[in-house]
């Protein structure tokens, strides 16, 4: 069992963690990034990315994070194949225990563990993911210009996604398994007033139907069952957006850091600072609103700059 010490320990290797690493390394903090079970983060499970600034043509999500990692390593970041299973925030230094048994100590800690979209678990969902099935309208809505799309869910996310999709499609259907929505009233009013959105009540998705072959048609419809009558039907669609929420990866921090009611890390408004000096959170793990690669990178940058200031003030205090 080895102990690895650094001035800046980063948990998570998505855009937030890798951007924090680039800034931290360039500030001389010799960061360590512990990559976790999904090295590169959520972008590794998508294909075309058309909204990351700097690229005129579509780029591939996995390629984008590979480039970020290469840049982080080039400036001196150490990447670790490990997953943090326990954490002690009583520092600095802050101590994280890896699944390997190794111990990671950081004078500062940047938490970038991200969030995962919740899926329905319906038949065909994973097979057609990226071929018509998505969990992010902001990311993928553009690919369904002029096509018929459905959104599944009944909370704020679902209503916002349906409204957002009207920018691209004039045939948007919201599918909800109950007879009323959980979302805020104001959002509901906008949804019901929109001429291009219809709502299918009391319908649960049994299956995503389509052609999974490479170059095939992709999604063609969703098979529904009425939750009251049991009647079955098919709703034709070329795009289906599962909008039933996200789960932030914050299990490790329960009872150790303040989390909001959905489990996201609470930071001081407009900053990546948690209530513990020297501990920062960046990216989707602290942001349930924007959840984009560029915003994750942006908050990763902010966390690294604040970590560098924390270290400088700490060193100054030690010198007396
Ligand atoms: C299918 C899909 C398509 C998308 N398309 C786009 C797009 O086109 N444009 C866009 O801007 N955004 C897109 N997004 C959103 C974007 O991917 C996320 O906003 C972004 O990846 C968030 O970055 P992050 O660094 O905060 O977290 P993530 O990318 O979620 O990375 C989290 C990291 O934390 C690690 N981790 C978690 N727990 C631990 C642990 N205990 N120990 C160590 N490591 C841990 C994971 O292994 C992972 O490396 C898409 C998302 C999905 C799912």
């Amino acid at each position: 069992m080895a102990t690895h010490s650094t001035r800046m320990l980063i948990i998570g290797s998505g855009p937030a963690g890798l951007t924090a690493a680039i800034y931290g390394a360039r500030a001389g903090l010799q960061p360590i990034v512990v990559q976790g079970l999904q090295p590169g983060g959520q972008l590794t499970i998508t294909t075309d990315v058309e909204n990351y600034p700097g690229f005129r043509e579509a780029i591939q999500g996995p390629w984008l994070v590979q480039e970020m990692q290469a840049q982080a390593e080039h400036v001196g970041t150490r990447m670790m194949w490990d997953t943090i299973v326990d954490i002690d925030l009583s520092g600095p230094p802050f101590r994280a225990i890896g699944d390997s048994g190794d111990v990671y100590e950081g004078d500062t800690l940047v938490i970038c563990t991200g969030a995962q979209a919740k899926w329905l678990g319906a038949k065909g969902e994973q097979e057609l993911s990226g071929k018509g099935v998505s969990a992010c309208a902001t990311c993928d809505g553009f690919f369904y210009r002029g096509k018929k799309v459905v959104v599944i869910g009944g909370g704020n996310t679902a209503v916002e996604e349906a409204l957002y999709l009207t920018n691209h499609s004039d045939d948007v259907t919201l599918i909800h398994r109950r007879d009323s929505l959980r979302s805020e009233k104001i959002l509901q009013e906008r949804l019901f007033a929109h001429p291009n959105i219809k709502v299918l009540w009391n319908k649960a998705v049994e299956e995503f139907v389509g052609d999974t072959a490479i170059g095939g048609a992709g999604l063609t419809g969703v098979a529904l069952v009425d939750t009251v009558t049991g009647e079955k039907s098919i709703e034709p669609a070329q795009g289906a957006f599962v909008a039933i929420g996200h789960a932030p990866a914050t299990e490790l921090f329960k009872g150790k850091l303040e989390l909001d009611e959905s489990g996201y890390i609470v930071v001081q408004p407009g900053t990546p600072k948690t209530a513990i000096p020297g501990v920062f959170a960046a990216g989707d793990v602290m942001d349930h609103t924007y959840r984009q690669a560029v915003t994750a990178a942006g908050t990763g940058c902010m966390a690294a700059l604040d970590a560098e200031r924390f270290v400088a003030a700490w060193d100054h205090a030690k010198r007396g």
Side-chain angles (χ1 to χ4, degrees), residues 11-17 34-43 45-46 48-49 51 82-84 112-115 139 249 252 282-284 291-294 296:
I11 309 179
S13 54
V34 183
Q35 307 197 58
L37 291 175
Q38 191 179 47
Q42 293 169 65
L43 282 182
I45 57 164
T46 191
D48 286 358
V49 174
N51 52 12
D82 209 347
T83 298
I84 301 304
C112 304
T113 48
C139 311
L252 272 177
D284 285 13
R291 293 197 305 257
Q292 292 295 291
V294 70

Side-chain angles (χ1 to χ4, degrees), residues 7 88-95 106-109 276-279 310 314:
R7 305 227 77 185
D88 174 0
L89 300 181
S90 59
F94 306 102
R95 295 179 90 241
D107 293 342
T108 58
L109 175 68
I276 300 177
V279 177
F310 177 87
W314 195 32

Side-chain angles (χ1 to χ4, degrees), residues 10-18 33-52 64-65 82-86 111-117 119 129-130 133-136 138-140 143 246 249-250 252-253 282-287 290-297 299:
I10 301 167
I11 309 179
S13 54
L18 293 172
V33 173
V34 183
Q35 307 197 58
L37 291 175
Q38 191 179 47
Q42 293 169 65
L43 282 182
T44 58
I45 57 164
T46 191
T47 51
D48 286 358
V49 174
E50 290 191 350
N51 52 12
Y52 199 84
L64 179 59
V65 275
D82 209 347
T83 298
I84 301 304
V85 293
D86 199 6
I111 301 165
C112 304
T113 48
Q116 296 287 329
W119 296 96
S129 172
V133 177
S134 169
C136 178
T138 319
C139 311
D140 296 334
F143 301 124
H246 283 73
T250 51
L252 272 177
F253 307 104
D284 285 13
V285 76
M286 48 71 93
D287 167 23
Y290 302 106
R291 293 197 305 257
Q292 292 295 291
V294 70
T295 48
T299 51

Side-chain angles (χ1 to χ4, degrees), residues 97-168:
I97 314 296
D99 192 37
S100 65
D102 283 8
V103 176
Y104 302 89
E105 285 184 347
D107 293 342
T108 58
L109 175 68
V110 184
I111 301 165
C112 304
T113 48
Q116 296 287 329
K118 291 183 189 164
W119 296 96
L120 294 167
K123 202 170 160 204
E125 186 176 47
Q126 291 312 315
E127 294 81 351
L128 285 160
S129 172
K131 296 179 179 132
V133 177
S134 169
C136 178
T138 319
C139 311
D140 296 334
F142 190 71
F143 301 124
Y144 298 93
R145 290 183 300 280
K147 297 184 175 167
K148 177 171 169 49
V149 295
V150 299
V151 177
I152 300 120
N156 280 350
T157 310
V159 175
E160 281 169 355
E161 302 255 287
L163 288 164
Y164 176 82
L165 285 165
T166 60
N167 294 320
H168 304 297

